[in-house]
Amino acid sequence: MKVCMIGTGYVGLVTGTCFADIGHEVTCVDNDESKIKTLLNNEIPIYEPGLEKLVAHNKDEGRLKFTTSIEEGVANSECIFVAVGTPQKDTGEADLSYIEAVARSVARNMKEYRIIVEKSTVPVKTGEMVRRTIKFNNKENVEFDVCSNPEFLREGSAIEDFMFPDRIVVGVESKKAGEKMRELYKPIIDQTFGKSSYFYKHNKNKSPFKKDHNVPIIITDVNSAELIKHASNSFLAMKISYVNALSEVCEKTGANVLEVAEGIGLDKRIGRHFLNAGVGFGGSCFPKDVIAFYNISIEIGLDFKLLKDVLDINKYQKQRFIKKIEKALWIVKDKTIGILGLAFKPDTDDMREAPSIDIINALLKSGAKVKAYDPVAMDVAKKVLTKVEFCDSPYDVAENADALVIVTEWKEFKDLDMKSIYKKLNYPILLDGRNIFNPAKMRKIGYEYHGIGLNH
Ligand code: NAD
């Protein structure tokens, strides 16, 4: 099928490229000229494992194009995906102005039947506003469908998440649109990527599925599909806040959150995922989606208090960690603090709402000097953290630092030579905000070790 992907950020670029890789003809559109220029120069504007090769292959095969022209994308494609940002407004609601702008442009360029698919995360009932906007702006009265197809990929494993999803959710308003969406996703549903798929060729043995597995596709109405995305992200954020609240209970009662999480997570009804205590969630999705969902509840005359608690616990957990650092250092002013990990999670360069930002800013405010290292997010971090000394390696961060703080659980940090780091530090204070180290081993080396929710 011919597909147009409007917005080539973390979601649009991955999704558009993956659609091309499973055999569709994809035109990716972005109004950021520099982004399109970068892509046309065979460079990738974001860090996402495996994406560069997948883009290059599909460009070479002629199935993936990049342009700044919505007109071109709409003219050439039956299915128009909208994957632009839906950031948080000061009020906490989702800012849908990018969605509206795209809906207007699509409508003005539509000459025949099109399916307009919301890929961005949007509040329930946005589809109705998209339909209305398109109707008002399409003077030729062209037939069209609005569809919701929320995205569940995670940065860092985005390609595999697209190719091997737990489920595909599609909200439609007509049978025709449902059939088209089923056809579009057929290679994913029945896991037949086709001979030309670069991904299939290089990841044949990585499939988590048994032979003949069919990925479930849930076809709903548009409102339900929109709601599924907010409800799903809020539930995951709730699990993180739950275990983070438990971590404080553990610290105050002499229990160990790692053991408690294992003990509850092995119950299939609960599940082990998203039960890792830490410094709180961040990123471009959970914080904004939970608050947007909470605002929807207020708007419809309900007060979904649980969501408010999820956000409050998340904020409190960060403050608790900052207090932990301050307590360990006794006096923060004029101390040098080494930070390992800046991105909001490993395997991405995304700094949006990263906990590192609040933690570092609080320490700077207390008069500390901050040195930091992240394997891929430093270029992005430099734009938001202007008073930090960025180092070339974790070992440089440790040199003469008065404490070492783990904020993001990059795998390479788990493999560090902690004996050599110990020798470089002024004070052997290790604050492990992600529980990546074994406390007993660290203490044996000589560290004063502080984890999250641990009793030993
Ligand atoms: P992003 O900021 O990385 O990308 C958005 C892109 O849209 C940018 O490149 C921007 O230039 C482009 N854009 C904005 N207005 C445009 C216009 N009028 N015409 C053409 N292009 C335009 O955002 P993202 O992280 O890819 O997120 C996109 C949406 O997907 C959001 O709603 C987000 O909540 C949702 N989502 C994100 C993730 C994730 O992990 N990042 C996962 C699932 C869902």
Side-chain angles (χ1 to χ4, degrees):
M1 276 174 81
K2 291 189 175 176
V3 175
C4 169
M5 186 64 62
I6 305 178
T8 51
Y10 287 89
V11 167
L13 184 57
V14 171
T15 315
T17 306
C18 289
F19 273 135
D21 198 57
I22 61 172
H24 299 301
E25 239 176 83
V26 182
T27 308
C28 285
V29 181
D30 206 291
N31 63 355
D32 180 340
E33 280 181 27
S34 68
K35 214 171 238 191
I36 294 298
K37 217 169 155 191
T38 305
L39 287 159
L40 290 171
N41 284 337
N42 296 325
E43 286 167 42
I44 303 292
I46 54 167
Y47 175 83
E48 182 60 45
L51 188 59
E52 197 163 348
K53 284 189 175 148
L54 207 63
V55 169
H57 172 82
N58 285 287
K59 253 179 89 189
D60 290 351
E61 295 274 306
R63 288 192 299 261
L64 185 59
K65 285 194 200 126
F66 296 101
T67 174
T68 52
S69 161
I70 284 199
E71 187 182 358
E72 188 186 327
V74 173
N76 291 342
S77 324
E78 191 174 2
C79 241
I80 321 278
F81 279 77
V82 185
V84 296
T86 48
Q88 187 186 318
K89 288 202 278 195
D90 291 343
T91 52
E93 294 153 299
D95 179 353
L96 300 176
S97 56
Y98 303 97
I99 300 272
E100 198 222 16
V102 169
R104 255 185 285 130
S105 309
V106 169
R108 288 178 188 153
N109 289 292
M110 238 166 49
K111 306 265 185 289
E112 54 191 314
Y113 175 77
R114 294 288 179 257
I115 304 177
I116 295 88
V117 188
E118 297 169 349
K119 193 42 133 176
S120 305
T121 302
V122 293
V124 58
K125 291 171 102 60
T126 300
E128 289 174 13
M129 298 312 281
V130 170
R131 160 160 287 287
R132 191 167 158 262
T133 306
I134 295 176
K135 205 163 174 250
F136 287 166
N137 286 280
N138 183 265
K139 302 294 173 216
E140 294 172 44
N141 248 337
V142 167
E143 190 202 339
F144 68 94
D145 269 301
V146 174
C147 179
S148 163
N149 173 221
E151 185 50 62
F152 299 99
L153 61 75
R154 296 160 299 174
E155 290 172 21
S157 56
I159 297 170
E160 284 185 28
D161 289 346
F162 182 92
M163 299 293 191
F164 306 133
D166 292 339
R167 80 306 204 183
I168 296 160
V169 174
V170 174
V172 289
E173 46 186 14
S174 79
K175 201 166 166 238
K176 180 174 173 183
E179 277 163 11
K180 288 272 174 204
M181 292 301 286
R182 223 181 251 282
E183 186 190 332
L184 183 71
Y185 274 107
K186 191 175 180 301
I188 299 292
I189 295 168
D190 56 21
Q191 292 284 295
T192 48
F193 299 112
K195 283 197 190 106
S196 56
S197 166
Y198 180 90
F199 177 83
Y200 179 67
K201 209 166 141 200
H202 293 86
N203 297 275
K204 248 182 231 165
N205 305 321
K206 271 201 186 164
S207 172
F209 301 136
K210 291 199 180 111
K211 204 171 166 277
D212 298 330
H213 173 85
N214 269 353
V215 170
I217 174 161
I218 321 271
I219 306 255
T220 67
D221 57 88
V222 176
N223 288 346
S224 301
E226 291 169 339
L227 202 55
I228 285 169
K229 179 62 190 175
H230 267 156
S232 170
N233 272 4
S234 298
F235 193 88
L236 293 171
M238 180 186 73
K239 276 187 96 174
I240 299 174
S241 279
Y242 186 83
V243 77
N244 280 339
L246 264 183
S247 73
E248 191 177 19
V249 176
C250 289
E251 284 170 23
K252 298 217 158 114
T253 56
N256 182 324
V257 79
L258 298 176
E259 288 162 9
V260 174
E262 189 73 5
I264 59 177
L266 283 173
D267 184 328
K268 285 194 199 73
R269 294 169 302 176
I270 296 171
R272 184 64 186 86
H273 294 297
F274 283 77
L275 284 182
N276 297 324
V279 298
F281 58 77
S284 63
C285 293
F286 286 180
K288 84 166 171 61
D289 291 349
V290 179
I291 198 160
F293 197 18
Y294 178 69
N295 272 287
I296 294 168
S297 81
I298 298 292
E299 220 171 86
I300 57 179
L302 307 168
D303 185 357
F304 201 156
K305 289 196 192 76
L306 180 64
L307 300 177
K308 181 88 179 15
D309 286 343
V310 167
L311 293 165
D312 288 346
I313 292 169
N314 195 49
K315 198 168 163 197
Y316 175 67
Q317 187 74 353
K318 256 186 294 188
Q319 286 161 352
R320 222 164 68 72
F321 188 60
I322 293 163
K323 285 220 172 80
K324 226 178 237 212
I325 304 173
E326 288 171 348
K327 196 170 165 212
L329 278 162
W330 188 30
I331 305 295
V332 175
K333 192 166 182 295
D334 297 330
K335 295 269 168 62
T336 300
I337 302 171
I339 304 279
L340 294 188
L342 297 166
F344 85 92
K345 66 173 205 164
D347 294 318
T348 182
D349 60 352
D350 200 340
M351 286 292 297
R352 289 177 284 186
E353 301 283 324
S356 64
I357 299 174
D358 287 343
I359 293 167
I360 289 173
N361 284 337
L363 297 174
L364 290 171
K365 203 169 164 210
S366 300
K369 189 176 162 234
V370 175
K371 296 164 86 181
Y373 170 79
D374 187 282
V376 303
M378 288 203 289
D379 283 346
V380 184
K382 280 175 190 164
K383 292 178 198 147
V384 276
L385 293 164
T386 50
K387 295 199 173 105
V388 169
E389 180 191 336
F390 292 93
C391 299
D392 291 337
S393 79
Y395 300 96
D396 290 348
V397 168
E399 196 76 57
N400 294 323
D402 297 308
L404 190 68
V405 181
I406 311 292
V407 179
T408 315
E409 65 277 35
W410 281 92
K411 188 179 170 299
E412 70 167 75
F413 297 159
K414 296 177 191 168
D415 302 330
L416 287 172
D417 177 354
M418 290 307 284
K419 281 188 187 152
S420 140
I421 295 233
Y422 174 78
K423 287 186 197 139
K424 290 178 184 293
L425 288 166
N426 271 345
Y427 297 159
I429 302 172
L430 178 56
L431 290 126
D432 184 355
R434 299 292 181 179
N435 289 340
I436 64 170
F437 294 117
N438 179 315
K441 274 193 192 156
M442 292 302 117
R443 287 189 184 123
K444 203 166 163 216
I445 294 173
Y447 284 105
E448 182 188 299
Y449 178 87
H450 305 266
I452 305 279
L454 307 178
N455 58 357
H456 50 73

